[in-house]
Amino acid sequence: MPALKKTPTRGRPRTITHERIMNAGIEIGLLNLTFVGVASALGISHMALYKHVASLEELKYLIAEAIFLQWEIPQPPNTVPHNLKEYLIIFMHSLRELVKSNAGLTPYLIRRMASTPSMIHKIESHHDVIAQAYNLTQNQARWLNATIAFHCIAVADTIYSVVGKEPIKNLNREMEEVEMEEEFIQSMEALIIGTLAMLNDKK
């Protein structure tokens, strides 16, 4: 995402839009988000920002929602369809990258009460797509997606929040990161296989 340009000191001030606020917040990142930081990126005072967003908590919700709504959930192909296992692996990798690229997003994904109506609508629409594509009931699709998503988000957040932190020797840092990611992917693939086995047993 290109860096935001600061508002010139002379001339007519640029309009402060929802889109500009979201772009500035995403650029800064949820973990480092402050009113002063977003206001500075927009070239306004933090008091001016309060006219658009009531609190830092609300700002974080808005940024988390924007990040999630921009995420493109993998869709089952229309021509040569994957089997369900292959699709769930693709879905898992996409979720992993979402968490890896957006530190601080996990609480807004893993807790249903923290999800906004727009986020919930996107999730439920995904359930509908998977149910139709793989001949599942709504409950089966919801259970599959939720099981994979919950564990993927939680484990990815755990792994990527400690990557590069002490205690670690610098010479082994890159190797450790690769090993952790490989083990995470292997464990998620095992979870997917087990989840599909449970689904078949229930049929």
Side-chain angles (χ1 to χ4, degrees):
M1 182 181 297
L4 292 170
K5 296 180 180 179
K6 291 187 177 181
T7 303
T9 55
R10 295 181 180 179
R12 185 176 180 179
R14 296 176 64 186
T15 303
I16 305 304
T17 64
H18 176 84
E19 182 180 5
R20 290 192 64 220
I21 294 172
M22 295 306 99
N23 287 342
I26 292 171
E27 182 75 19
I28 293 169
L30 283 167
L31 286 185
N32 300 315
L33 197 68
T34 64
F35 251 79
V36 172
V38 173
S40 177
L42 295 172
I44 61 175
S45 70
H46 70 280
M47 294 306 297
L49 183 58
Y50 273 112
K51 296 178 181 179
H52 299 271
V53 185
S55 65
L56 179 60
E57 181 181 7
E58 179 180 334
L59 180 61
K60 288 183 176 181
Y61 269 96
L62 290 172
I63 300 303
E65 179 183 50
I67 292 170
F68 183 73
L69 294 182
Q70 287 179 11
W71 172 51
E72 295 184 8
I73 302 180
Q75 300 295 307
N78 295 322
T79 52
V80 183
H82 297 294
N83 62 39
L84 185 50
K85 175 188 171 184
E86 290 173 340
Y87 173 77
L88 291 174
I89 290 175
I90 293 170
F91 175 56
M92 175 270 293
H93 278 291
S94 183
L95 263 176
R96 178 179 63 81
E97 286 297 330
L98 177 67
V99 174
K100 183 178 182 179
S101 303
N102 296 281
L105 182 61
T106 294
Y108 302 93
L109 300 179
I110 210 165
R111 296 172 54 207
R112 186 173 180 84
M113 293 299 294
S115 298
T116 67
S118 295
M119 294 169 71
I120 292 173
H121 175 72
K122 182 172 182 174
I123 292 168
E124 291 178 346
S125 296
H126 180 234
H127 297 334
D128 293 339
V129 168
I130 299 309
Q132 183 174 0
Y134 296 102
N135 195 28
L136 302 172
T137 67
Q138 291 290 324
N139 285 337
Q140 287 172 331
R142 183 179 297 107
W143 178 74
L144 272 176
N145 285 335
T147 300
I148 303 307
F150 184 89
H151 287 84
C152 180
I153 293 167
V155 178
D157 185 68
T158 300
I159 288 176
Y160 296 123
S161 65
V162 302
V163 164
K165 293 184 177 180
E166 300 298 338
I168 187 175
K169 294 182 179 179
N170 289 333
L171 294 177
N172 297 327
R173 186 184 302 273
E174 185 175 346
M175 181 182 298
E176 183 191 59
E177 292 177 8
V178 171
E179 289 178 350
M180 289 172 65
E181 192 162 76
E182 287 178 349
E183 290 174 359
F184 165 52
I185 292 171
Q186 290 171 2
S187 67
M188 285 303 306
E189 290 179 353
L191 174 67
I192 290 170
I193 292 171
T195 304
L196 291 174
M198 290 178 64
L199 180 66
N200 290 330
D201 288 343
K202 293 178 180 180
K203 291 182 177 179

